[in-house]
Amino acid sequence: MRKIIEQAVITLDGQTSTPQNWLPTRWAGEFEQLSRDLLFSVDALLYGRVSYENHAEVWPTMEEAFGDYAVRMNTVPKHVASRTLTEVTWNAALLGDDVVDAVRKLKEQPGGDILKVGSGGPFSRTLLEHRLVDEYLFWLFPVIAGSGERLYDGIDTTDFDLIDVKRLTNGILGLTYVPTAH
């Protein structure tokens, strides 16, 4: 069975909604390489509507600046959860009305792991509530954003087990968790 990995960048105060304000200053080096390794290790990307629309708008124009990373972003198959979109482009397919069932079926298909892009929105909450994510990779940035959307506000208490920690020289921590077995 394919594994879903949800990756999120987060500040010390739990903000996820404004990475353009703090992510670029620490993109290079180890973080860039680890992000690259993860992108090239998966067979598909999983998106909610907002993250999909944001990425579909910028990544097709980034190939000159980001080389094969951008090429990979543009060519890897994408699956999008949306209640409002009726069509998608950018090598993507809509998951349909029952996203929980669609994601379960996607996990059962042959292939490699799936990377969930973007965190904290309604789709992330749905995946969390239905225990469809197998692994969470939180990149904790040594930044206080001061405002913005917090990760998973309003979710019931959910337990996780820490399975890996990566400490980067620029102060970022990569924290990998799996849902605690019940």
Side-chain angles (χ1 to χ4, degrees):
M1 182 174 283
R2 299 168 88 178
K3 177 171 66 172
I4 293 179
I5 303 164
E6 181 161 345
Q7 176 179 238
V9 291
I10 185 169
T11 63
L12 293 174
D13 55 343
Q15 305 304 318
T16 62
S17 62
T18 57
Q20 68 277 10
N21 295 343
W22 40 266
L23 180 96
T25 61
R26 290 185 170 82
W27 174 257
E30 293 169 298
F31 180 73
E32 179 180 10
Q33 185 61 52
L34 291 167
S35 295
R36 175 187 188 75
D37 292 348
L38 180 57
L39 177 63
F40 280 83
S41 74
V42 299
D43 284 355
L45 301 178
L46 192 57
Y47 280 94
R49 180 191 55 81
V50 173
S51 295
Y52 168 77
E53 288 180 326
N54 290 339
H55 281 198
E57 184 178 314
V58 297
W59 277 109
T61 66
M62 303 291 275
E63 289 187 8
E64 187 173 324
F66 286 90
D68 63 345
Y69 186 92
V71 170
R72 179 71 176 165
M73 284 294 293
N74 291 328
T75 57
V76 69
K78 297 157 194 73
H79 305 275
V80 182
S82 175
R83 292 182 188 103
T84 57
L85 293 176
T86 57
E87 62 180 55
V88 290
T89 59
W90 195 46
N91 198 28
L94 290 168
L95 289 170
D97 292 334
D98 186 346
V99 296
V100 171
D101 186 55
V103 170
R104 282 188 180 125
K105 288 178 180 172
L106 189 60
K107 289 178 69 165
E108 292 171 0
Q109 293 176 0
D113 293 340
I114 302 163
L115 178 60
K116 164 64 175 69
V117 181
S119 291
F123 185 43
S124 289
R125 287 178 176 89
T126 297
L127 294 174
L128 177 66
E129 289 166 353
H130 292 274
R131 300 183 62 86
L132 291 170
V133 176
D134 302 284
E135 190 174 294
Y136 291 85
L137 173 54
F138 297 116
W139 293 106
L140 182 63
F141 277 65
V143 172
I144 294 177
S147 66
E149 193 173 311
R150 291 174 37 97
L151 190 62
Y152 300 118
D153 259 350
I155 292 291
D156 291 337
T157 300
T158 307
D159 294 318
F160 296 90
D161 294 321
L162 180 67
I163 61 167
D164 189 39
V165 176
K166 289 180 177 51
R167 182 179 177 169
L168 309 188
T169 57
N170 61 4
I172 297 170
L173 293 177
L175 306 168
T176 305
Y177 292 91
V178 295
T180 300
H182 288 147

